[in-house]
Amino acid sequence: MQDQFLRRIDYLRISVTDRCNLRCKYCMPVDGIEWMPHDLILSFEEILRLMKISTQLGFRRFRITGGEPLVRKDILDFLREAAQLPGVEDLMLTTNGMLLQEMAFDLKAAGVQRVNISLDTMDRTRFFENTRGGDVSKVIQGILRSLEAGLNPVKINVVVVRGFNTEELPSFLKLARQYPLHVRFIELMPIGVSSEHRNEFVSIKEMKEVLGLNEDDLPTKDIPGGGPAQYFRPSGYKGSIGFISALSRHFCNTCNRVRLTADGKLKPCLHSKHEVDLREVLRSGSSDQDILNVFAQAVWHKPAEHHMNSEAWQDTRVMSQIGG
């Protein structure tokens, strides 16, 4: 499947819940958010149907997200069925890591190939305050457990925020040096609550300066994945370090993904208000072919680029509602 700009679109990110067991400051407002009613959330059967239809359009990579996907009841049964669908070549999961210590081996057995773990700080106090109650030791143990389970690759997502974790960047390098982990430093994207922290943005160029990396260091191509990260594997490292730049050097011209929210909205672009209501199409008795046509039209009209550098970003939903 190609969009109108001839980009190959084969990657579907699927949020299975808006609920989360953390309350991260840059993701949720201090008072939290009102959870979506259960009847508005897609059932696993509906998601599996959409996945099966999407493979007919050439989708091959599927990432399961939330909120926190591991808090949804019967998630392992769903993942097991999803992994067995014809055409699904890559089944991945993004998680905050709080439940990985107890679930990593089960995820591997269910057919999940690799995991991305969100971890912005390894400082116990800082993590507790930023997540409003989380225990970073559970995440660290979950990371190690994922390696033991054979999930590969295991990637660590670090959103860099000025005045919060910039001083910790060298500490994250130690993880990639000591373990076969792939640590990705990500520019803060002004979505939802994060839009209030725009002055805390740190560019990739500045991150590299903090880490002592040169702009002309050669990236490596041997890290599995279909995303926008540029990876480097310094000499002596068991893992790698990566950078994801959504603002200072946006990658819209090579974007290969669309997103399905927990309530069934297909978002051709994360940073656009435009959504296609697939839940309504699903529940109106439409045939698979009708759904496929709607899906294809949404992909075809994927915008050329995001507008995070304009005022448009202020109107998007919070990240837990659209599938981080």
Side-chain angles (χ1 to χ4, degrees):
M1 180 71 195
Q2 289 185 327
D3 66 7
Q4 60 182 317
F5 303 103
L6 303 183
R7 293 172 297 196
R8 180 180 176 180
I9 314 299
D10 63 357
Y11 185 173
L12 180 61
R13 293 180 65 109
I14 302 172
S15 173
V16 296
T17 180
D18 64 323
R19 288 163 170 74
C20 189
N21 49 359
L22 295 177
R23 298 290 184 275
C24 298
K25 289 183 178 179
Y26 68 80
C27 182
M28 291 190 185
V30 64
D31 296 327
I33 60 173
E34 184 176 349
W35 303 127
M36 298 177 187
H38 284 288
D39 62 331
L40 297 185
I41 301 294
L42 291 183
S43 68
F44 282 142
E45 291 76 14
E46 289 172 325
I47 297 174
L48 289 167
R49 185 183 178 193
L50 288 175
M51 289 180 66
K52 186 175 180 180
I53 290 171
S54 73
T55 62
Q56 299 177 49
L57 294 171
F59 283 84
R60 295 292 180 263
R61 303 170 182 267
F62 298 86
R63 178 171 298 282
I64 308 304
T65 72
E68 170 50 46
L70 296 184
V71 302
R72 181 160 175 179
K73 183 181 179 181
D74 299 326
I75 185 65
L76 290 172
D77 292 335
F78 161 72
L79 292 169
R80 193 172 297 111
E81 290 190 58
Q84 295 172 359
L85 288 176
V88 175
E89 297 177 359
D90 197 358
L91 185 64
M92 308 157 275
L93 185 91
T94 291
T95 172
N96 61 31
M98 292 291 290
L99 299 175
L100 270 180
Q101 184 175 6
E102 57 195 79
M103 297 183 70
F105 278 83
D106 290 334
L107 290 171
K108 178 68 175 180
V112 174
Q113 293 157 281
R114 47 200 178 96
V115 292
N116 287 7
I117 303 162
S118 300
L119 180 62
D120 300 329
T121 175
M122 292 184 287
D123 180 90
R124 182 183 297 272
T125 300
R126 192 174 291 163
F127 185 90
F128 182 87
E129 292 176 351
N130 187 57
T131 60
R132 300 186 177 106
D135 182 354
V136 73
S137 66
K138 291 184 178 180
V139 182
I140 299 297
Q141 290 303 312
I143 291 170
L144 298 177
R145 192 71 166 169
S146 296
L147 292 174
E148 293 173 8
L151 292 164
N152 182 46
V154 177
K155 299 178 181 179
I156 310 300
N157 291 342
V158 185
V159 176
V160 180
V161 182
R162 189 180 307 282
F164 171 65
N165 61 356
T166 47
E167 66 184 44
E168 284 191 68
L169 301 195
S171 297
F172 280 101
L173 289 191
K174 294 179 182 179
L175 285 180
R177 185 165 56 243
Q178 297 173 358
Y179 300 96
L181 296 168
H182 306 284
V183 178
R184 295 115 59 83
F185 298 109
I186 304 172
E187 290 182 343
L188 179 67
M189 293 181 286
I191 301 172
V193 177
S194 291
S195 64
E196 302 170 4
H197 302 272
R198 198 174 179 88
N199 62 336
E200 297 165 10
F201 170 83
V202 181
S203 69
I204 296 297
K205 182 177 184 297
E206 186 176 347
M207 294 179 205
K208 288 183 177 180
E209 291 173 353
V210 170
L211 294 168
L213 296 174
N214 297 317
E215 281 293 297
D216 55 355
D217 286 338
L218 296 177
T220 181
K221 303 291 186 181
D222 63 345
I223 311 301
Q230 186 179 55
Y231 293 97
F232 299 83
R233 192 190 297 275
S235 177
Y237 276 53
K238 293 182 179 180
S240 71
I241 55 176
F243 297 92
I244 299 178
S245 169
L247 269 74
S248 63
R249 297 179 184 175
H250 73 76
F251 41 83
C252 298
N253 63 324
T254 59
C255 184
N256 62 348
R257 69 195 62 190
V258 295
R259 295 171 183 254
L260 181 67
T261 66
D263 58 345
K265 307 299 193 300
L266 190 67
K267 291 184 69 69
C269 176
L270 171 63
H271 313 104
S272 170
K273 290 181 290 183
H274 175 65
E275 300 175 339
V276 177
D277 192 346
L278 288 182
R279 186 188 66 212
E280 177 63 26
V281 179
L282 276 169
R283 296 181 181 179
S284 66
S286 299
S287 67
D288 284 1
Q289 185 59 53
D290 289 338
I291 297 170
L292 185 147
N293 292 340
V294 174
F295 205 122
Q297 282 297 309
V299 172
W300 177 257
H301 291 291
K302 180 178 171 67
E305 60 185 27
H306 65 65
H307 299 284
M308 282 194 291
N309 293 318
S310 71
E311 294 301 312
W313 49 262
Q314 292 183 341
D315 298 321
T316 55
R317 295 190 281 175
V318 300
M319 186 63 84
S320 68
Q321 294 175 322
I322 57 180

